[in-house]
Amino acid sequence: MGHTFTIGIGGAAGQGVATPGDIFAKIFSRRGLHLNAYNAYQSIIRGGHTFLTIRTGADPVTNMGDRIDLLIPLNQDTMDRHLGLLGEGGACLYNADTIQPGTHAEGVQLCALPVSTLADISRNKVAQNTIAIGAAISMMGIGFQSLEDVIREQFGRKAAAVADENVAVARAGYDYATQNFRPFARPLPMSDNRYAVLSGNTALAMGGAAAGVKFYCAYPMSPSTGVLHWMATHAREAGIMVRQVEDELGVVNMAIGAAQAGVRAMCATSGGGFALMSEALGLSAMAEIPIVVIDCQRAGPSTGVPTKTEQGDLWQMLGAAFGDYPRVIAAPLDIADCFTLLAEMWNLVDKFQVPGLVLADLLLSEGRLSVDPKVLDFAPHVDRGEMITSPNGGPGEGGYKRYKITESGVSPRAIPGVPGYTHVVASDEHDEDGVLISDMFTNTHKRRAMMEKRMRKENGIAAAVAPPKLQGPADADVTLIGWGSTQGVIEEARALLAEEGITANQLQVRWIVPLHGEAIVEQLKNAKRTIIVENNYSGQFARYLRSETSFVADGHIRKYDGEPFMPHHIVEAVREQLAGGVTLSVPVHEIMV
Amino acid sequence: MGHTFTIGIGGAAGQGVATPGDIFAKIFSRRGLHLNAYNAYQSIIRGGHTFLTIRTGADPVTNMGDRIDLLIPLNQDTMDRHLGLLGEGGACLYNADTIQPGTHAEGVQLCALPVSTLADISRNKVAQNTIAIGAAISMMGIGFQSLEDVIREQFGRKAAAVADENVAVARAGYDYATQNFRPFARPLPMSDNRYAVLSGNTALAMGGAAAGVKFYCAYPMSPSTGVLHWMATHAREAGIMVRQVEDELGVVNMAIGAAQAGVRAMCATSGGGFALMSEALGLSAMAEIPIVVIDCQRAGPSTGVPTKTEQGDLWQMLGAAFGDYPRVIAAPLDIADCFTLLAEMWNLVDKFQVPGLVLADLLLSEGRLSVDPKVLDFAPHVDRGEMITSPNGGPGEGGYKRYKITESGVSPRAIPGVPGYTHVVASDEHDEDGVLISDMFTNTHKRRAMMEKRMRKENGIAAAVAPPKLQGPADADVTLIGWGSTQGVIEEARALLAEEGITANQLQVRWIVPLHGEAIVEQLKNAKRTIIVENNYSGQFARYLRSETSFVADGHIRKYDGEPFMPHHIVEAVREQLAGGVTLSVPVHEIMV
Amino acid sequence: MATITEGPRPMAMADYKGRVDPDWCPGCGDYGVLAAVQKALVELQIPNHQVVTISGIGCSSNFPGFIETYGMHTLHGRALPVATGVKMANHELTVLVTGGDGDGFGIGGNHFAHAMRRNVDLTYIVMDNQIYGLTTGQTSPTSQIGMKTKSTPFGNVEGPIHPIASALACGATFVARGFSADQKHLSGLIRQAIEHKGFSFIDVFSPCVTYNKDNTFQWFRPRVKKLEDDPAYDSGDWLAAMEKSILWGEEIPIGKFFERTDLPSLDEAEPVLKDGPMVGRPDHIDPAIARAFIEELM
Amino acid sequence: MATITEGPRPMAMADYKGRVDPDWCPGCGDYGVLAAVQKALVELQIPNHQVVTISGIGCSSNFPGFIETYGMHTLHGRALPVATGVKMANHELTVLVTGGDGDGFGIGGNHFAHAMRRNVDLTYIVMDNQIYGLTTGQTSPTSQIGMKTKSTPFGNVEGPIHPIASALACGATFVARGFSADQKHLSGLIRQAIEHKGFSFIDVFSPCVTYNKDNTFQWFRPRVKKLEDDPAYDSGDWLAAMEKSILWGEEIPIGKFFERTDLPSLDEAEPVLKDGPMVGRPDHIDPAIARAFIEELM
Ligand SMILES: Cc1ncc(C[n+]2csc(CCOP(=O)(O)OP(=O)(O)O)c2C)c(N)n1
Ligand SMILES: Cc1ncc(C[n+]2csc(CCOP(=O)(O)OP(=O)(O)O)c2C)c(N)n1
Ligand code: SF4
Ligand code: SF4
Ligand SMILES: [Mg+2]
Ligand SMILES: [Mg+2]
């Protein structure tokens, strides 16, 4: 990607790091710039340390990048932790009344803001933030009007007086900076494009809504709760039934009930909640009631680090619930894909009447990305599969068989309320007509036939999903293999490696089940050196890929400290591995968040 | 194994199939004979069809075998289903008043018992059963006294009159048979050995008790409930706290609480309950509180076929809970091993402070086996690991660190009540002293160090467990690979194959995690043809083995109809695969149960 | 709820007869409950395709297989959330939930409490046999102290839960108790429960003849006393219901303990449903609204 | 239970001061609860190593990290079974369970009911802020109808649960309600609760100053009325307690609603414990008994 510019804003939870973030995001996206924002925070409501990184540029910005250009520390702790991140050309805007700068690199511009002289801090508690934003806008070479518009919008018409005051405070910062600080060397460009800026959670929620989800339920759990928040806020307009349930057991079973009644029903959680939901995935598969469950992964095991990212739930998903049953598992590649994937997932899941699992992670869920609004298609193709919603001619000879044995394994499903199609769906093994074969009518042959009927769906599912494709030059020096949310950072690492003369291509896996192992091996067979990149300790994807293909990569880059990869982590690890000797690199996260 | 003799008794649930089974088992084991019993039943309390197979012989009897020698149908349904199983030399003992024989093979002796003339059936509802037992004993060439002793024992001293009557009824059957039926060609031998006959559930419970388990809790779930029943019945004498809990979430967490307080705490369930428990395995691993959870697998997915066997929970166990954490998983090889394994498991789990998972199945849990009482060692070596149970000198400099970073990954644990060692154990990521690093003190370096500390235990665990060893001739024509409960049936299939001139050896896996993949591959590398045998649809073990080793077997024998393998299933499948063309055999279960 | 929308032919008992005969033990209390439900449905003339019968796992939870309606035989303990989902997706359906004491008060206890506080419009019938039947006889949450079962061979030491008191405490708007042997009374309760708009709970003494040797038909018969027989009893009085709820021993009240009709059921309270059931709505959101959702982000 | 077995030095507040300072929001109600617990422990002079403080997950559930006792910070909703396990393995320990309304009445509701019916001897303190704090403000099971939260931006339509009534219905033997702002009163309740042999439940109004703008300190202050102020109130009268339990609005009772001391706690009822705590018993079963176990099988 081309030139980018990154702002880092840090402070304690409750100090209002989010607001400047929102303001910058609005300003950038309205200039037609792309952006990517990532907030490193802690499981604490007030206090502690939060560090928001907003990176912007003319090209799509796929990750947080490697560098901070402008640091805005809202407290001393942030100054102490992060001043060292700034290099030549960087600047730090800080409240000189309360914060002392520490030692810094050559060429860093320290911009002390005399906050209490610029604003009445007794009246305006976030004056330091607003002044810093004004100053930043000035140094970035952006006209004040953009900022004023956003501030006014934020307060709305009702609070015009408050808006006025904040505009004035921002203006003071803007003017002070114009007079006292050196602007950044390279001003931010503009374009006519307009982007929507959204988090992965919003994208998942909107993607579900666009796919026709009519029932959403959840139990709050970081980092998935944003899906619930979007759904709850938009439920009435969107015509979606949203319920907060007593626990995750209730959530998934409520979704199954709604799905059986005939609507698309979805829920989201994180690893711990998913563990509780796992039993019911078997019910969904056995009773052949399609649902979609989203797991927004966070750092485990157990409660772990609830506000930190990880790709550590893959084996939990692969192993969720006992016995063999067909399912679909996919990991969206970026925030836009959180939206796009859902319509695809839903059509598959409805067609094959199986549970569909989406493996997102905190990085996507809580990160924010600029997305072309065209991507947010609210009228995607909807295929509900073979569903009987009215009696028509009736079931015909022999009556309706809910679990009719078919070549595809799929049996048309009638929803409650349709006359003539009454039947029982069951978690016990059953015959074609739904009658249990676990008690009275136990029968090894029927049991086998029903297992095979269900499992045959796997063929159809595999055929409906394309294998992943190698991105980049076929004859690259190194092939980086990733899955889900690492798409962007690997892509940037490849670009950086290319600058060093190392060519890299990339195989990024989005559909976990079905995997298309043979196609993957085919694509990897000429690779000069393969390295699997993943955000967990044990190489969960590497192990899974091996289980399906016997493929063993030459090297691994893993990270399990709670923070996502930055491009240089991958670049350095690849360099290290190409130099020889090393086959496992675990990059150190230098930013102390 | 040498000559064996198999009785099949079938009837509706509630008709009392179990009692004749118990009587035969007692008589055989007291003659110094080995035996193996398997009951094919349904999820129904009364009615339906139950079919008990008891196989006995002088050598250890490892499985139900392929043949029935004596069929005792307690109702017409059983006669209709199973008469066809008898071959030359076989016999069928039935109540001629109520049951009609069907067509049968050449050389089968149909033994009609005139039950109502031999006993007063209005007084004795199970007269037909008792008469049949008497008749059977006679035909097997066993003296009546053995039977009389067992009957008297069953009724106890208090019901001497009832016992007398039943003895008389049995005697009538015995005498009638002596006079009217042809005895079996080969009378059952005797030996001076005496065996205990027990189910896998009893073995698991006793094995736990022997290993020093002081807390057992459970929620009933077939086929694991027998563990609870043994524990509840023997709790007072054994000094074990036994609790039935409101659900499996409560079960596993209660066990964790008890374990933290300092006792060995265990629980058992089946797949659905295990799904509910999975979240807490992460707590056990993260807080480093050792527990043992037993999963008695049954046919899934979902409620599935609750009374049928399967090896279908392997991936659920491998994936249980999110994030990476150390654990131990083992699958006992037979009912005796259900006992033996627990002491080994407990020492590992205590030493490394991790969750230990035992993967049994219905075949073991509810089957019965004759076991040399010496195997049932109630004073096994007990190693509780590094535990601080008294203040001694106190924690010394810097205070007590519950999660002290050590080379082994193991940190000495103090139990509540010891002065000077107060600390908090947490499911959130924490520092060495137990203080959370998920909120205020989030720190990527500490997080990484704690992950690595915990995961280092995997090295110690691997070193403490030996790799599996190839059984049988090194240069065999075929190598059969199995895990857990298929040990016995594969062994017998090998013997049968040898009779046909096909030599087979066997790699049976007992420790699933740690697996010792390299050692396995080493042992398999000279195999001429490898076939993995498992009781599930998707080849769960084959996939796992591949994930660890890249190893792909030449063929697979799988069964997922709810019933266990019989030796001829494997023999025929091996024959079929050696003949070429076929790489996946799914034997048909001919016995309609 | 219970309005007839199709078919001129009146519903008869045979229309609710399940595809297979119940395989409960001969004499099991659950037979009486099945018959009472079928009778109530006939009396209410609800077409069988408009009824969804939902259960968990247990002997009693085999119920949906034995009645001809739409049925869901779900997971142990999870019938109520499933039923809530069904009702919220299509509140025109009549939703019956059937199951056991273990299913409902043991593993399912949390859903029980929460479905009641939400006043989900469904009828929940617990076949309370004070034992775990299907797993062959362990204590249940309603087993009395001292009861000997396979899991308490020396007698249970844990106090039971009180389903009626709990239902009252959790805000159930219709709370009753029936006895499987008094089918007419029971079927009357079920009819009222179905007619009640909101959460209706009926705890039914439905003896397990195989595993519960303490609380048998014979044990209950002389003890059960109908609340309806006391003209002074006011089922609108919550505190009076509470007082009756804990009677146990020589006199055990059955009948309607409590009903209130002043609270909206969840489907009535939920504004999203003002346009009718969720099921059958168009897949796609109105484009103008969708555009507004995107605008918000720009 | 609360007997002092070691150390001559009396316990002081400092002995219960946690390793780190609480990181609750300034003004959070939970500070008052922490102080009240510490005060009660000092008054009872229970050595800190004989106390185990157990919580689930939530702001309030961070409690064990802020008090110097043995602590367990477990899973969301699972504190009570963990605590039951601790108590059953070593009933000489004083077991405190602390957590939130979501933790205890939402996801943990089933364990709540069952721990009470079992009369496990522990003290359960719920910091009830009628909101999900740690997940940044969604409705909780005690949120009132109409409350606007992140998950109910247009107002909650679901009725709340009633912790006091539920506890009474489930057979809790000590039921009280406190207010974080009245520390002296609260600490008195906690002291009594710890002294009570059996399950003690204290629902504490502990306002979330960040996310609950409805049920604030200011809202509660004029409303809470101490039961102790009414000399006629008899905390031995279950039905009277029930009657008080559902008061909500202008007058909200706090204090001890109910206590009974005639029922054995689970450890007292459990015969296996007559020989003392499970922990510390020899690993191996007496050989003669073990032999008998094997004999049974022969
Ligand atoms: C998660 C889970 N745990 C345990 C079981 C085993 N199980 C099946 S039915 C049942 C209890 C049945 O008791 P109840 O609900 O009272 O029904 P009843 O058989 O007495 O009618 C249990 C524990 C299960 N199916 N699923
Ligand atoms: C299984 C599971 N689901 C969800 C969560 C997320 N979670 C953490 S705390 C919490 C609720 C906290 O509310 P409450 O118990 O009332 O405590 P408070 O923060 O208000 O003190 C939730 C839902 C979790 N940790 N585990
Ligand atoms: S076991 Fe009990 S509850 Fe189950 S069917 Fe038989 S009598 Fe009924
Ligand atoms: S969010 Fe609420 S409950 Fe949590 S610490 Fe802050 S004030 Fe307390
Ligand atoms: Mg029951
Ligand atoms: Mg709360």
Side-chain angles (χ1 to χ4, degrees), chain B residues 425-444:
Chain B
V425 295
S427 67
D428 274 79
E429 189 61 280
H430 40 255
D431 204 349
E432 288 185 85
D433 58 3
V435 168
L436 304 197
I437 56 169
S438 54
D439 47 13
M440 199 76 177
F441 305 107
T442 304
N443 181 310
T444 50

Side-chain angles (χ1 to χ4, degrees), chain B residues 53 121 123 131 148 165 183 189 199 215 229 236-237 243 246 250 285 300 314 343 364 377 439 459 501 520 534 550 571:
Chain B
T53 310
I121 55 166
R123 283 168 44 122
I131 288 171
E148 176 166 347
E165 192 208 307
S199 69
F215 188 92
H229 294 167
R236 298 205 184 164
E237 280 171 288
R243 303 247 63 87
E246 58 273 17
L314 177 59
L364 296 179
D377 174 10
D439 47 13
N459 306 332
I520 288 177
E534 48 185 325
S550 295
V571 168

Side-chain angles (χ1 to χ4, degrees), chain B residues 4-346:
Chain B
T4 65
F5 181 88
T6 306
I7 306 174
I9 311 173
Q15 270 199 301
V17 166
T19 312
D22 289 343
I23 292 175
F24 286 124
K26 281 254 148 83
I27 292 174
F28 297 155
S29 70
R30 289 178 183 179
R31 287 178 81 81
L33 295 177
H34 275 286
L35 71 93
N36 184 300
Y38 168 73
N39 189 20
Y41 71 112
Q42 304 172 328
S43 187
I44 184 174
I45 303 298
R46 300 224 176 278
H49 177 64
T50 303
F51 192 60
L52 177 72
T53 310
I54 308 176
R55 186 180 182 206
T56 188
D59 297 335
V61 183
T62 61
N63 69 91
M64 67 188 283
D66 287 320
R67 221 186 48 237
I68 303 284
D69 297 290
L70 170 62
L71 177 69
I72 306 180
L74 302 182
N75 60 7
Q76 186 65 49
D77 178 38
T78 306
M79 176 66 96
D80 299 343
R81 286 178 190 242
H82 303 309
L83 184 57
L85 293 175
L86 293 174
E88 167 89 54
C92 175
L93 274 167
Y94 64 100
N95 182 344
D97 300 343
T98 56
I99 301 172
Q100 298 296 324
T103 53
H104 55 88
E106 195 82 5
V108 170
Q109 186 184 182
L110 286 183
C111 309
L113 291 164
V115 168
S116 57
T117 63
L118 294 173
D120 178 350
I121 55 166
S122 65
R123 283 168 44 122
N124 190 326
K125 279 194 224 135
V126 290
Q128 73 158 340
N129 304 9
T130 314
I131 288 171
I133 298 169
I137 291 295
S138 151
M139 292 168 73
M140 282 183 257
I142 298 176
F144 184 73
Q145 192 59 45
S146 332
L147 175 55
E148 176 166 347
D149 291 350
V150 176
I151 293 177
R152 294 208 180 277
E153 235 176 88
Q154 278 206 320
F155 288 97
R157 282 200 210 107
K158 284 191 220 130
V162 192
D164 284 348
E165 192 208 307
N166 278 280
V167 167
V169 170
R171 180 91 226 178
Y174 190 90
D175 292 343
Y176 186 85
T178 310
Q179 286 148 30
N180 296 286
F181 307 144
R182 201 165 58 241
F184 288 101
R186 211 164 148 174
L188 284 171
M190 287 183 78
S191 88
D192 288 337
N193 301 329
R194 290 297 172 269
Y195 301 113
V197 176
L198 71 170
S199 69
N201 281 338
T202 296
L204 290 163
M206 286 175 64
V213 164
K214 293 281 172 264
F215 188 92
Y216 181 83
C217 59
Y219 186 74
M221 185 162 196
S222 309
S224 69
T225 317
V227 185
L228 172 62
H229 294 167
W230 190 93
M231 285 287 188
T233 309
H234 298 85
R236 298 205 184 164
E237 280 171 288
I240 299 177
M241 167 68 66
V242 177
R243 303 247 63 87
Q244 182 181 325
V245 187
E246 58 273 17
D247 60 21
E248 288 88 349
L249 304 165
V251 166
V252 64
N253 285 289
M254 207 175 278
I256 288 173
Q260 171 65 6
V263 302
R264 284 189 166 175
M266 184 167 95
C267 53
T269 184
S270 185
F274 189 84
L276 294 173
M277 290 185 183
S278 64
E279 186 195 13
L281 300 180
L283 168 60
S284 160
M286 187 65 147
E288 309 195 32
I289 302 170
I291 54 164
V292 169
V293 179
I294 298 167
D295 176 7
C296 305
Q297 300 164 95
R298 68 190 208 188
S302 205
T303 311
V305 203
T307 63
K308 297 293 166 186
T309 201
E310 195 165 277
Q311 295 182 298
D313 293 10
L314 177 59
W315 275 63
Q316 166 164 261
M317 270 217 172
L318 293 169
F322 44 104
D324 290 306
Y325 63 88
R327 81 201 81 177
V328 184
I329 305 180
L333 302 181
D334 62 19
I335 289 171
D337 197 29
C338 287
F339 182 97
T340 313
L341 180 66
L342 278 178
E344 295 175 46
M345 178 60 98
W346 262 116

Side-chain angles (χ1 to χ4, degrees), chain A residues 45, chain D residues 24-25 28 59 129 133 208-211:
Chain A
I45 304 296
Chain D
W24 290 311
C25 305
C28 175
C59 291
N129 54 15
C208 169
V209 297
T210 302
Y211 296 113

